[in-house]
Amino acid sequence: ADRRGPTSAMSSLFPTSRWSVLIASMLLELCGGSVYITNLYLAALRPRLFPGAADGEALMEYLVFASNLGNWVPLAGFLYDARRGGPRTVVFAGAALTLLGYGGLWLCSAFDVHANFAVLWLLWFLWGHGSGYFDCAAIATCSANFRESRGLVLGLTKSFYGLSGSLLTQVFLAFFAAPDAAPAFLLFLGVALCLLALALAPLVRRLAPPRPLDADSPSRRFARGYALVGALAV
């Protein structure tokens, strides 16, 4: 009988190095950066969520604030350090929050469900909060795995959090730029970001550092990573 614990079994299914964890964390940050692209669909959502409201623009700004507030509330850190928490648990929670928030907004906007403002505010808060969970899992895990290079690894990881806005904007312009496509874009964000996060979750894990610490050529690999960021930014 196989008496290995769940962590050992997971390691055999998903063999990883700290560099594969870094790549997974960088991709996970793409899921969290959707907080930067709300302006893409605000104007199209306003008549759907607040038809005929004279203060619709102000109400939309309150919803944007709700997503930002959700991103700032630091509950993910408590779950990360909890006895039954950890990186994967945080990613799973972020995926659930993201799907629930964006999925609820899709229902309200696509089917003319006239939800009250409190419900809408909560939905925006939920997906914003989910973004914070993705960011927490990526940053905390990479910090633990690269203790001797925290500055370099955090700069590289956070750059993808910023680049995610540009990449998601390209997706929006390519497939969802039509005036009536805003609900479909919300559905895409909920489903696609959730599935990507779930696919990456087994790879986001804390590992023992190599011995010696420079055994895996970190300088050369970091240089390649920053070159990739520069190419994507251009």
Side-chain angles (χ1 to χ4, degrees):
D2 188 354
R3 298 185 179 181
R4 296 175 300 171
T7 301
S8 176
M10 185 69 73
S11 300
S12 64
L13 287 174
F14 301 95
T16 55
S17 70
R18 64 177 184 166
W19 296 99
S20 61
V21 175
L22 174 57
I23 293 172
S25 298
M26 291 162 64
L27 294 175
L28 186 62
E29 289 284 34
L30 296 179
C31 300
S34 61
V35 292
Y36 294 127
I37 61 170
T38 54
N39 282 336
L40 292 176
Y41 50 82
L42 283 183
L45 281 184
R46 187 172 65 234
R48 292 175 176 270
L49 298 181
F50 305 109
D55 57 346
E57 185 172 351
L59 293 174
M60 293 301 296
E61 291 299 325
Y62 286 125
L63 295 181
V64 173
F65 170 75
S67 65
N68 290 331
L69 180 63
N71 195 28
W72 301 331
V73 173
L75 296 181
F78 293 97
L79 181 59
Y80 190 96
D81 291 332
R83 177 178 298 181
R84 296 186 180 276
R88 283 189 291 274
T89 303
V90 171
V91 174
F92 291 149
L97 291 167
T98 299
L99 181 60
L100 183 59
Y102 279 122
L105 289 175
W106 168 70
L107 289 173
C108 293
S109 58
F111 299 101
D112 295 325
V113 177
H114 299 303
N116 63 47
F117 181 77
V119 172
L120 295 174
W121 196 96
L122 178 61
L123 292 173
W124 282 70
F125 178 89
L126 288 177
W127 72 253
H129 198 43
S131 295
Y133 277 66
F134 296 143
D135 187 43
C136 174
I139 292 300
T141 305
C142 286
S143 295
N145 290 346
F146 291 86
R147 298 174 186 176
E148 81 288 358
S149 307
R150 285 192 179 98
L152 287 172
V153 75
L154 293 186
L156 188 58
T157 308
K158 291 297 287 187
S159 67
F160 269 72
Y161 192 73
L163 283 171
S164 65
S166 297
L167 297 177
L168 289 173
T169 297
Q170 299 308 310
V171 173
F172 175 83
L173 294 176
F175 302 104
F176 302 99
D180 59 346
F185 186 57
L186 294 175
L187 180 61
F188 165 79
L189 291 174
V191 174
L193 300 184
C194 176
L195 290 178
L196 177 58
L198 293 177
L200 295 171
L203 301 175
V204 182
R205 49 202 292 202
R206 289 169 294 204
L207 301 173
R211 291 288 185 265
L213 290 176
D214 60 351
D216 52 2
S217 305
S219 298
R220 178 166 50 87
R221 296 182 188 228
F222 277 126
R224 292 176 179 173
Y226 275 95
L228 173 62
V229 170
L232 290 173
V234 172

